[in-house]
Amino acid sequence: MRRTVVLTALVALALPVRAAQADDDYRPFRRGTILPSFSLGGSFSRNYGGSLLVGAGASYFVAGGFAVGLHLRNVTTFYSQYFKEQVGPDIFAKIPTNEFSLTPSLLWVIYRGERVAPYLSFGVGPVFLNKQRGVMGQWTIGPGVMFRAGGSLWLDLGIGLGMRFTKDRCQEAYNYLDPITDYACGFTWGFRAGLVFGLGGRRQASPPSQPSPPAQYTPPPASSYPAPAQPVPNASPPPTPAAPVEAPPEGPPQPTPPPTPVETPSPANPPAATPPPAATPTETSPVPPPGENLPVPPPA
């Protein structure tokens, strides 16, 4: 039996590897989701009576579909009158009628559907008995299915399988039932039902958006006009700066020459003869033909 418990624990610890691969941002029970739960169950036996199970807990998803949690459970047993008469009042006074368990658990949601989500849970923890019957351990495995009831509310239906350990401690707690201790310390199973609320960590279901393709750049059509001429830098050498004009050396002022005397005409110094004006042909003067001289009229 111990080998079975160890093997089950190893399988449960290997679940995060696959759960992390299924992590995403739009399916239920993604990373960061808190899953409070309320459980209600019971059992019935024709000869021994029945029991009522009430539980509550919470699980936190550390990866998509994989959560760790803590669950509290209280089981109250109602024994039949037939059983009381069979064991007698002295023995019945030692039989615990209430069991309280504190169970750390692992939860693996196998399929994270929007409407249906099958899962597998595993837990191990202490069980406290009333009437001073001591403390023992218990492991449980619970396959089940969650159905969406609306929004973040889920209906949880499953089967609980479990067993108490160690066998010596269990037999010591139930020694008043000898030789039928297998009833309390053997393998047990039962149906489970409850309500589950998924809080936070979940977004609306929508397919992942595809990245838009990069925009294609289309160059503008070439113009029929020739490209404008680029200015050509002037290759002529820069002009040589003109030499500064030197001021004339300062010296004494030059004497002004005397005016030229005007000579008065006299018999000894007659004025210069003025050449006679050239005869200008008029309209009435005859013009000699080419090669001939004009006749000079006689003096009057």
Side-chain angles (χ1 to χ4, degrees):
M1 184 58 63
R2 293 181 179 178
R3 294 180 180 179
T4 303
V5 176
V6 173
L7 180 61
T8 304
L10 293 178
V11 173
L13 292 176
L15 297 181
V17 177
R18 183 172 180 180
Q21 297 176 354
D23 190 19
D24 50 55
D25 292 335
Y26 63 94
R27 290 191 295 172
F29 311 111
R30 74 183 189 98
R31 182 176 56 186
T33 302
I34 300 176
L35 199 67
S37 62
F38 302 91
S39 302
L40 179 65
S43 63
F44 175 77
S45 175
R46 183 176 183 180
N47 296 326
Y48 297 99
S51 61
L52 176 65
L53 181 151
V54 179
S59 298
Y60 177 79
F61 282 83
V62 296
F66 179 78
V68 295
L70 180 64
H71 296 269
L72 309 178
R73 189 181 68 166
N74 188 81
V75 179
T76 302
T77 305
F78 307 94
Y79 292 98
S80 64
Q81 185 63 29
Y82 170 79
F83 180 78
K84 295 178 181 179
E85 294 176 355
Q86 184 181 7
V87 300
D90 295 337
I91 296 179
F92 183 76
K94 301 178 182 179
I95 298 176
T97 57
N98 190 82
E99 300 177 357
F100 177 78
S101 61
L102 180 66
T103 309
S105 63
L106 302 176
L107 174 64
W108 176 34
V109 180
I110 302 173
Y111 173 72
R112 298 165 59 190
E114 289 293 331
R115 298 296 178 183
V116 180
Y119 68 89
L120 179 65
S121 63
F122 172 80
V124 59
V127 180
F128 304 90
L129 305 177
N130 66 341
K131 296 186 179 180
Q132 300 180 356
R133 302 314 299 177
V135 181
M136 67 189 72
Q138 178 175 308
W139 61 264
T140 60
I141 297 178
V145 180
M146 287 184 287
F147 299 91
R148 183 184 293 277
S152 59
L153 177 64
W154 298 75
L155 175 62
D156 178 19
L157 299 177
I159 300 176
L161 310 175
M163 188 173 183
R164 295 172 179 174
F165 63 93
T166 61
K167 188 175 182 179
D168 295 339
R169 183 179 293 273
C170 184
Q171 289 179 348
E172 182 180 353
Y174 291 95
N175 58 4
Y176 52 84
L177 293 177
D178 190 67
I180 56 173
T181 53
D182 291 340
Y183 167 75
C185 302
F187 181 79
T188 60
W189 67 277
F191 294 102
R192 180 181 66 254
L195 296 176
V196 178
F197 299 89
L199 303 179
R202 183 181 181 274
R203 298 179 180 177
Q204 295 294 333
S206 59
S209 58
Q210 298 294 335
S212 58
Q216 299 293 335
Y217 172 75
T218 303
S223 175
S224 59
Y225 293 97
Q230 300 294 332
V232 179
N234 189 5
S236 59
T240 303
V245 179
E246 297 181 358
E250 297 182 359
Q254 298 295 331
T256 302
T260 304
V262 177
E263 296 181 357
T264 303
S266 61
N269 186 19
T274 301
T280 302
T282 61
E283 294 180 0
T284 58
S285 301
V287 177
E292 297 185 1
N293 294 327
L294 182 65
V296 177

